[in-house]
Amino acid sequence: MNARSTARSDAGGPRPTSRAQDRGSRESGIAAFRTAKLLTGCYLAVSAATLVAVALLRHDVAAVNEAVWIRAAIVVVSALVTFLCALRAARGDRRAYRRLRVISAVMIVAILVIIALPGAFPVWMKIDQGVCGVLLAGALVAVSGRAARAGFATRA
């Protein structure tokens, strides 16, 4: 039996796995990356729309300050990289998969900091960042599941 056709039982010995289990796991992994691509695509769309809104509101100093401009630009770049990583990871690129998970986690932390900072960002931007955080969290949960990770397990 080869590594693909066996799994470990609780006793440690090999036990045959069915093709249906393999197919189900593969389909779950595909669904996880489909979800990640959708959510990171939405994150990119929301981020781009935010940058457009910042440009349109540039003369309103209460709604747009320098911090908002910088944050909006950073988020669009991050969203683009995250989306591209999701696309490449869905095709089996292990490095893109790792980057997707790391960038998503780092951006979620950054978003939480933005939301928590008093006064630096207007309320509308904090709400926008909250939406982005929820989208990224969903993508991170999807690609951190067992089915998605199984496709990138190291093979001996």
Side-chain angles (χ1 to χ4, degrees), residues 23-78:
R23 186 175 38 249
S25 178
R26 198 170 29 253
E27 288 171 3
S28 294
I30 291 168
F33 282 102
R34 187 178 305 123
T35 299
K37 289 187 298 186
L38 173 67
L39 292 172
T40 58
C42 289
Y43 170 49
L44 177 58
V46 168
S47 300
T50 300
L51 188 58
V52 169
V54 167
L56 293 173
L57 296 170
R58 68 185 173 274
H59 299 298
D60 184 352
V61 293
V64 176
N65 57 28
E66 187 175 346
V68 170
W69 270 107
I70 292 169
R71 179 67 188 166
I74 289 170
V75 172
V76 167
V77 171
S78 140

Side-chain angles (χ1 to χ4, degrees), residues 1-8 14-19 21-22:
M1 287 187 203
N2 64 29
R4 289 188 181 273
S5 64
T6 62
R8 293 266 176 215
R15 113 181 109 81
T17 58
S18 70
R19 289 191 185 265
Q21 284 175 325
D22 289 345

